[in-house]
Every structure is written in structure tokens, then in C-alpha cells.
Amino acid sequence: MADILSLRARGLALRAGAAPFDEVVGAGEIVGLAGLDGHGQQTFLKMLAGLTAPAAGDILVERDGTEERIGSFRRAVARGVAYLPRDRRATGIFPTLSVLDNFAIATVGRDAPAGLISAGRRRSRYEHYRERLSIVAPRPDAPITTLSGGNQQKVLLARWLAAEPKLLLLDDPTRGVDVATRRVLYGVFRDLAKEGMGLVVLSSEIEEILLLCDRVLVFREHALAARLSGAEMTTETVIAAMFGRAA
């Protein structure tokens, strides 16, 4: 797959009547999304993932000097965009399957080059990401429900990293996990950016965005209210933008 240079929103409106905006997420940067609950940041993330259709405008992948429109989740995945949902129990894990099956479900084709699934190939790939993400699991064939919430989250992240995406969309990725798991995830996210992956991180915690992200987009009333970077990125300026007032 060719490298994705950027994921672009052009003339994007999150709902009918909302002000349209343009935005670009480039390779190697971590972009944070902030806003009061229900003000559009999650809608924007889902539009980037191809899960929600824009009220107006387009989401485009730019690579090799050309642009391709993303019109569905399947097309986004095919073009190197991965999405980690907020509610891992409802929309992420398959509770009746094992840790290994949950990990490998998005990359079955890679384990069956000759039409038959190679257990060794699948297990080897799992072990690689288990070590990289410090996944604590009793054994690969254990039910995923036996893992802690933080380790379930790591398995979901490993699932999409194994697909080798070029851009990763994360919806509150540290929600409900312990401090140790947060540290591991922060380190992984920073390493991925250094390797050239673009990341978009929606977080309900302003401190997390300020700690992790290169810049932040603040949403208010289903519109992009502010773009903040560098010295502008403070708790006060983010909160001010969320409430529609000057810092």
C-alpha cells in the first residue's frame, strides 16, 4: 500500500446548517479533538473513519499526489485508515472469542496465503504486538473477557496495528484504563508518530490532549471553534474555546 500523505476534510459540515471547514491531518502528527459532549468532535472522528456521512463536503485521502474520496468504512480501511471505537465492549471486542481470535479477525487474509489459515503465522504476529504493547494475557486461546479492561484495549489496538495502517483514529483510547496502561499507550502513540503514522485522538480529558498531542481542534455546536498549537495549547484556552469565549 502506498503511503498516505494526509487525510483531508474539505468543505466539511458536521450537520445541516453548521459552518463548513477544511482540515488536514498529516503524516507523523498527533492531532487532538476536544469539546463538550455532543458538540461534534465524535461526529468528526466518525466521518474521518467513513462511519458517518458528512452533511456537506468530503473526506479525502491524499497519496502519491492524488486524492481519493472516502465514502465508507470499508473504503477507509482499504486505504490505510484504522479506527478504535470508544465503547470496546459494545463495538470492539467479540466477547465469545479468544484473545488471539479477537486480535486476528481484521487480518485473516494475511494468515491464509494459500487459502488455509496458518496458525503459526497468526501466532507469530500476535506475539510481536503482545510484546510491543505489553499485553498481559494468560494464553492466546484464553477468552478475551478474562483480561482486564486495559489489556482488552491493547488487544483492540494491536488488531488494527497488525493491519499496518497509515493513519489511526482513536476515540477516547484511555477511557477506563489504569495509569500503567495509559503510560504504555502514550509511549506507543508517540512511537507510531515518530515512525510516520498520523494519529487523531479524541479525549474527554484536556490534560491528556495537552500531554500527548501536537495540536488540538476544539469543537462547539457542531462546528470547528478553534485550532490551537504550541504555546496556545493550555487548559484555559481549550476550555474557553469549548464555551465560546476568549481565554
Side-chain angles (χ1 to χ4, degrees):
M1 180 186 296
D3 286 347
I4 290 180
L5 301 180
S6 64
L7 188 63
R8 183 182 301 272
R10 179 180 295 163
L12 192 73
L14 302 184
R15 68 178 183 182
F21 62 92
D22 297 340
E23 188 55 54
V24 178
V25 178
E29 68 170 342
I30 306 178
V31 179
L33 306 182
L36 298 171
D37 282 348
H39 275 245
Q41 63 272 25
Q42 190 173 49
T43 300
F44 176 62
L45 192 70
K46 289 184 175 181
M47 286 179 180
L48 293 179
L51 289 166
T52 299
D58 292 299
I59 303 295
L60 304 156
V61 167
E62 182 181 7
R63 62 181 182 183
D64 294 342
T66 63
E67 292 182 336
E68 299 178 73
R69 181 176 176 273
I70 288 179
S72 68
F73 179 68
R74 182 184 297 273
R75 181 172 290 184
V77 171
R79 281 149 182 77
V81 180
Y83 169 74
L84 192 67
R86 173 178 297 188
D87 190 341
R88 59 178 171 267
R89 289 191 176 275
T91 58
I93 68 168
F94 295 87
T96 60
L97 299 182
S98 69
V99 173
L100 183 58
D101 286 340
N102 266 275
F103 162 76
I105 201 163
T107 49
V108 172
R110 299 189 182 191
D111 299 326
L116 297 174
I117 291 179
S118 168
R121 182 188 296 259
R122 184 170 68 161
R123 177 68 176 265
S124 176
R125 194 170 67 253
Y126 166 73
E127 289 297 331
H128 169 77
Y129 287 100
R130 182 188 65 78
E131 292 182 8
R132 179 167 190 180
L133 299 180
S134 302
I135 296 171
V136 178
R139 58 187 191 279
D141 62 348
I144 194 167
T145 51
T146 63
L147 272 59
S148 67
N151 282 293
Q152 289 179 19
Q153 186 76 330
K154 290 178 184 178
V155 171
L156 292 181
L157 178 59
R159 174 198 295 172
W160 287 112
L161 292 183
E164 299 179 354
K166 302 301 180 184
L167 193 132
L168 185 61
L169 310 175
L170 303 161
D171 190 344
D172 237 349
T174 66
R175 184 184 188 190
V177 305
D178 58 48
V179 173
T181 298
R182 284 181 181 233
R183 289 174 181 159
V184 170
L185 293 177
Y186 291 166
V188 170
F189 297 156
R190 293 188 182 108
D191 287 344
L192 291 170
K194 289 177 183 177
E195 293 166 9
M197 185 181 295
L199 293 90
V200 181
V201 181
L202 187 159
S203 179
S204 54
E205 300 182 20
I206 296 174
E207 294 79 6
E208 181 169 84
I209 287 177
L210 299 178
L211 177 67
L212 185 61
C213 300
D214 302 310
R215 58 191 181 91
V216 58
L217 308 178
V218 184
F219 289 81
R220 175 173 169 76
E221 296 179 351
H222 298 274
L224 180 56
R227 295 179 174 92
L228 304 172
S229 61
E232 298 174 315
M233 286 177 57
T234 66
T235 301
E236 291 75 17
T237 55
V238 173
I239 291 176
M242 288 167 61
F243 285 92
R245 60 175 186 259

